[in-house]
């Protein structure tokens, strides 16, 4: 169950900026999608590792989410003022 939940949270994290970018017709809102390749590798790792082997994945997830958050904020700040 945990692996599915982890994958679902990443999926939602990538769908939200995609929907915002499409809805507002503002590609800058999709900037967080840059984290997609790293996130997919993390999802794959969670699906095959167990126990203590998941600790590096936890650290990588935190770093990736930090970058995601920065990119999302920058993408939203770059939106046109009339939106």
């Amino acid at each position: 169950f945990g692996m599915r939940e982890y994958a679902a949270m990443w999926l939602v994290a990538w769908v939200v900026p995609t929907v915002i970018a499409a809805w507002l017709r503002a590609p800058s809102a999709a900037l967080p999608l840059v984290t997609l390749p790293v996130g997919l590798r993390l999802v794959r790792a969670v699906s095959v590792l167990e126990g203590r082997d998941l600790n590096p994945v936890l650290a990588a997830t935190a770093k990736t989410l930090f970058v995601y958050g920065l990119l999302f904020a920058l993408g939203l700040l770059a939106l046109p003022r009339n939106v």
Side-chain angles (χ1 to χ4, degrees):
F1 174 75
M3 197 287 287
R4 286 190 204 133
E5 184 177 10
Y6 183 80
M9 292 301 112
W10 274 112
L11 180 63
V12 169
W14 293 316
V15 167
V16 168
T18 304
V19 169
I20 291 172
W23 182 38
L24 298 177
R25 294 186 183 106
S28 68
L31 204 52
L33 296 180
V34 170
T35 63
L36 186 71
V38 175
L40 289 175
R41 271 186 263 138
L42 293 171
V43 169
R44 226 173 281 123
V46 166
S47 69
V48 297
L49 297 174
E50 293 181 359
R52 289 180 178 242
D53 294 333
L54 287 168
N55 286 339
V57 178
L58 177 62
T61 299
K63 291 173 187 174
T64 305
L65 288 175
F66 178 74
V67 171
Y68 174 95
L70 286 176
L71 292 172
F72 203 14
L74 289 172
L76 293 177
L77 284 173
L79 288 175
R81 298 291 178 227
N82 61 353
V83 174

